[in-house]
Amino acid sequence: MTDSLRQAHLNEISSSEAEDFQLDCSLAGYDYELPPELIAQNPAVPRDSSRLLVVNSPSTGQETLPLHHIFRDLPDLLQSGDLLVMNNTRVMPARLYGHKSTGAEIEVLLLEERQHNCWLALVKPGKRFKLGTKIVFDAKRVGEYGGDGGDGGDGGDGGNGGKEEFISSALSTQHSALSTPHSALSTQHSTLSTQHSALHTQLTATVLETDAATGGRLLQFDLPPGTSLVHLLDQFGEVPLPPYITASAADDEQYQTVYAKQLGAIAAPTAGLHFTPELLQKLRDRQINQAFVTLHVGVGTFRPVEVEDVTTHQMHKEWIEVPAATVEQIRATKAAGGRIIAVGTTAVRALEGAAHLGDLQPFVGKTDLFIYPGYQWRVVDGLITNFHLPRSSLLMLVSALIGRKRLLKIYQEAIASRYRFYSFGDAMLILPEATLRQEF
């Protein structure tokens, strides 16, 4: 929103409304206090036994407080003819540990492949990654990491410090999207990783340059012709967990959705972690349909908002695919009077990003769409989402759907009711009748 449009809007509303509007645009307006013990360290078992806070009214008065359910109640809360749109990205083992020739230990979080076997990565500590430095990575020993190592997106969110704090937390987090065709990478990975894993016990890379936008490094991995790093990640890499998960016993598959398919994310779309195959079948039995998009969760999702005027925040681009089949399902659903319920903020960004010209169209490419209060919705009617970090772009996205003040009141209700927060935490269902959507 430009300064002139903002001032014109302020001139048209009351002083109390103007104060709220200013807070909608202010980073400080998205603060809340969370008791540390409510940060979930492990997922619910079974997955659909997590709690579900249901928002079914546009009001937050005492008579319309959110409803408390269990996630497996979802089929009873939606309507026949509704369409759930899910993000089928799969988390890569993107975190690598290694050392310099001097023996100094280092840590790498792969972001995206810029050229063949040349990857942008966040690195730690940065002072050890001077240009020309050779890095050595050793293959994991069986059971070495055990699935509990971790350090955040819709999956978790980013931190709130400066660039160095962001790089440090993000390294122990997850980050960005591959820029090459991801479905092909996923297929190659599943068929060739076993073949290559038997051939490599050590991996080397050279630091080529610094990336100003992320503070990361471009690393050229030294591999024989015909060999791709993505095929070796199971042998050398670890699935990253968010930095606020410090004492987890979860294994890698518990940080993947049951429908994860397209390899390329460095964080899970965590609203989808609550689904089980049985629950998905029950939804289909109720004629609550399912469609898929892909957004490879990366630095765009997790980068902290660092500007006080949130309208000036610039999202990093993330790779998305909205297939023609999904577009047709959405059109048919809307034509029949059904509702589009996005599963997670990443599904929201994929759908709305593919509709950036006004009408939803099949799309393959990158999006830097940033959704905050005042956004005019094109596709999504309702949302299933986890509870997000303060001051995060994800909190702003959900605020755009139901209002910032109301969302913070709902969060206070969740805290008072001892809901579990963040990636392994509980979920919230925002039904279409509860939204304050502004549509074209």
Side-chain angles (χ1 to χ4, degrees), residues 128-351:
R128 293 181 179 168
F129 285 80
K130 294 183 172 61
L131 302 191
T133 299
K134 184 78 74 173
I135 305 297
V136 180
F137 303 94
D138 294 318
K140 294 186 298 184
R141 296 184 298 273
V142 175
E144 180 175 4
Y145 298 128
D148 65 345
D151 312 293
D154 178 77
D157 307 78
N160 295 304
K163 181 174 287 186
E164 287 302 317
E165 181 181 348
F166 163 60
I167 293 170
S168 177
S169 67
L171 266 169
S172 303
T173 309
Q174 338 26 57
H175 288 281
S176 178
L178 298 171
S179 56
T180 51
H182 291 81
S183 59
L185 281 178
S186 182
T187 301
Q188 293 171 3
H189 172 79
S190 62
T191 57
L192 297 178
S193 59
T194 302
Q195 173 185 342
H196 286 289
S197 65
L199 303 178
H200 296 272
T201 58
Q202 202 171 73
L203 182 67
T204 60
T206 302
V207 180
L208 296 186
E209 61 182 85
T210 298
D211 180 68
T214 62
R217 303 291 189 275
L218 280 178
L219 303 179
Q220 180 65 58
F221 286 85
D222 309 311
L223 291 168
T227 305
S228 175
L229 177 63
V230 74
H231 305 145
L232 301 175
L233 290 180
D234 281 339
Q235 186 181 2
F236 287 90
E238 175 184 344
V239 171
L241 290 178
Y244 43 75
I245 297 178
T246 58
S248 180
D251 61 39
D252 287 350
E253 281 305 307
Q254 289 178 286
Y255 194 58
Q256 305 277 12
T257 64
V258 297
Y259 47 79
K261 182 178 180 182
Q262 304 294 349
L263 185 72
I266 52 172
T270 54
L273 294 180
H274 307 281
F275 288 90
T276 65
E278 296 77 15
L279 179 58
L280 291 171
Q281 184 58 53
K282 186 175 181 182
L283 287 160
R284 287 190 289 267
D285 293 342
R286 297 284 189 91
Q287 305 302 310
I288 298 164
N289 300 310
Q290 296 148 39
F292 294 93
V293 296
T294 304
L295 183 146
H296 288 312
V297 186
V299 68
T301 297
F302 291 99
R303 183 189 183 193
V305 178
E306 297 175 330
V307 290
E308 186 56 36
D309 181 353
V310 302
T311 67
T312 64
H313 174 66
Q314 181 62 49
M315 297 281 285
H316 281 275
K317 292 184 177 182
E318 292 172 306
W319 191 91
I320 65 173
E321 180 177 7
V322 179
T326 294
V327 172
E328 288 305 312
Q329 282 182 273
I330 290 171
R331 290 174 179 167
T333 298
K334 285 185 174 286
R339 298 145 350 144
I340 308 304
I341 311 296
V343 178
T345 58
T346 58
V348 171
R349 291 186 61 235
L351 291 173

Side-chain angles (χ1 to χ4, degrees), residues 355-407:
H356 68 285
L357 296 178
D359 293 323
L360 180 65
Q361 299 291 335
F363 183 84
V364 177
K366 290 188 174 183
T367 183
D368 59 359
L369 179 64
F370 175 37
I371 298 176
Y372 56 90
Y375 177 77
Q376 293 180 304
W377 295 90
R378 297 177 170 92
V379 183
V380 173
D381 298 311
L383 175 64
I384 298 170
T385 186
N386 282 20
F387 296 93
H388 303 295
L389 282 165
R391 296 189 167 212
S392 64
S393 65
L394 307 182
L395 196 65
M396 295 166 193
L397 184 153
V398 183
S399 295
L401 195 60
I402 63 172
R404 178 190 57 82
K405 283 181 68 176
R406 185 155 60 111
L407 180 63

